[in-house]
Amino acid sequence: MKHHHVETSASLAIVMPVYEDAEASERLFRELFDQFGRDVFVVAVDDGAIRQPLDIHPMRSAFLEGVVIRLRRNVGHQQAIAVGLHYVADHLSGAQRIVVMDSDGEDLPSSIPHLLSVLERDDIDVVVASRKSRQESLLFKVFYVLYKFLFSLLSGRNINFGNFMALKACALKRISAMQELWVHVAGCVLASKLRLGYLPLDRGPRYAGHSKMNFESLALHGFRGIMVFAERVLVRVGVFCTVIGGLAVLAAVLAIWLKLAGFATPGWFSVALGILMIVFFQTGAITLMTLMLTGVSRSGMVSTVDYRSYIDEVEHV
């Protein structure tokens, strides 16, 4: 695919991944035109759909400006967004505001003006939608709370937003140069150190069909977010293991003192000292492995990914 500039007068670009969701995306196209008219350029990334491949005609019949990017294979929700954002960064130099949203209707087009109004502030680079209410089951909500706690514990950062966000052009330039964008979009935004604004928004119902994300997919998505902060997680695990190892040494010294002072019951000292030695050596081994993995993650990070290698075809309206 040759590099070329897309001629458009729209200053707003919307990136959305679409996977086997053609019916819902058609309705979204119409609502986006009703909301913004010709002032928006839509970049729809067809993530290797087979049953319902995304066609350019619904976008054309909705009178929208935009492109449909068809990928060679299914790469997943996050990498499809990364491809779309790289495309905007390379081809839409006039886009001053970029919105990332899902194509199923849960990210409401009527919420976009609210995101953009907050984005106008000089001290904000990215505005993210934090959810006020969710349509998911109680089990999902419980595990989501546990995930946020685990994420905060391991990474030291709080995450309470997804992919629905608005970015300035300078923010897009920054995150498109980050390898973490290909792992987890929200995690990349957190790691970018850009100035974030939070806007509480309700999640809408799906326009059509059912979610393609099962519990395993959601769990994998969550752990990919933690992977963005792999070095910080490894350091925290290493510090925790060091503390446990130090406590084991202190407990062993205390056990020896009790033995020498004659307070230990028969058999107690040998069992306690054996357990404490096992704990010490295990935590020491884990600490050593985390230090080695930290070095590997730092030296093994690829600087760039050529998004064009994922693209099979780009069709323009």
Side-chain angles (χ1 to χ4, degrees):
M1 184 184 69
K2 295 183 178 180
H3 179 93
H4 66 281
H5 176 72
V6 176
E7 295 294 336
T8 177
S9 60
S11 62
L12 171 64
I14 294 181
V15 174
M16 62 177 70
V18 185
Y19 179 64
E20 307 289 8
D21 229 349
E23 184 180 351
S25 61
E26 289 177 18
R27 178 176 169 183
L28 180 60
F29 293 154
R30 295 192 297 268
E31 293 193 4
L32 286 173
F33 181 79
D34 293 339
Q35 184 80 44
F36 299 103
R38 303 286 291 182
D39 295 330
V40 63
F41 190 95
V42 175
V43 178
V45 183
D46 185 346
D47 188 17
I50 296 177
R51 297 176 182 85
Q52 298 182 41
L54 185 62
D55 194 80
I56 194 68
H57 297 295
M59 190 183 295
R60 188 173 290 148
S61 62
F63 306 107
L64 280 174
E65 278 193 289
V67 296
V68 170
I69 301 176
R70 296 188 180 87
L71 304 187
R72 298 180 188 275
R73 63 180 180 87
N74 176 250
V75 298
H77 195 255
Q78 301 299 287
Q79 292 190 4
I81 292 175
V83 170
L85 289 174
H86 276 281
Y87 182 88
V88 172
D90 272 3
H91 299 275
L92 299 174
S93 59
Q96 299 303 310
R97 301 167 299 168
I98 302 92
V99 169
V100 178
M101 67 185 304
D102 287 337
S103 62
D104 55 14
E106 293 186 355
D107 297 334
L108 298 171
S110 58
S111 298
I112 296 177
H114 300 293
L115 288 172
L116 297 179
S117 65
V118 179
L119 192 65
E120 293 298 322
R121 290 173 45 181
D122 294 333
D123 60 340
I124 289 179
D125 302 311
V126 182
V127 181
V128 298
S130 58
R131 297 304 183 186
K132 290 194 298 184
S133 65
R134 289 184 169 271
Q135 307 290 329
E136 291 88 355
S137 65
L138 177 62
L139 181 63
F140 177 89
K141 293 179 181 179
V142 169
F143 276 99
Y144 184 67
V145 171
L146 291 176
Y147 164 70
K148 289 197 297 182
F149 172 76
L150 182 64
F151 187 95
S152 177
L153 180 66
L154 292 176
S155 69
R157 304 295 296 271
N158 295 319
I159 186 167
N160 62 345
F161 62 94
N163 301 315
F164 194 21
M165 63 184 69
L167 309 91
K168 292 178 179 176
C170 59
L172 174 62
K173 182 179 179 181
R174 186 182 185 96
I175 68 170
S176 63
M178 296 177 63
Q179 171 69 11
E180 293 86 348
L181 181 63
W182 295 91
V183 179
H184 194 273
V185 176
C188 175
V189 170
L190 273 181
S192 69
K193 299 183 179 179
L194 291 165
R195 297 168 296 179
L196 300 185
Y198 295 85
L199 182 64
L201 292 172
D202 290 323
R203 181 182 286 273
R206 287 181 61 88
Y207 288 155
H210 301 282
S211 175
K212 311 301 184 297
M213 295 283 282
N214 55 30
F215 184 79
E216 291 181 359
S217 300
L218 290 169
L220 177 61
H221 175 69
F223 283 114
R224 286 168 67 93
I226 296 176
M227 286 171 56
V228 170
F229 299 92
E231 287 188 8
R232 182 176 294 188
V233 170
L234 291 171
V235 169
R236 283 178 169 244
V237 170
V239 170
F240 176 76
C241 290
T242 302
V243 171
I244 296 298
L247 292 175
V249 171
L250 292 177
V253 171
L254 178 60
I256 293 173
W257 179 81
L258 289 173
K259 176 66 175 178
L260 294 176
F263 293 109
T265 58
W268 174 87
F269 172 73
S270 58
V271 172
L273 190 62
I275 293 174
L276 291 170
M277 288 181 64
I278 291 173
V279 171
F280 174 74
F281 285 119
Q282 283 185 337
T283 54
I286 294 173
T287 302
L288 180 61
M289 286 189 292
T290 56
L291 291 174
M292 294 174 62
L293 289 172
T294 302
V296 170
S297 66
R298 182 180 293 274
S299 61
M301 179 65 75
V302 180
S303 57
T304 57
V305 172
D306 185 5
Y307 75 97
R308 287 166 291 192
S309 64
Y310 290 100
I311 297 177
D312 181 48
E313 180 187 8
V314 178
E315 192 168 357
H316 299 256
V317 173

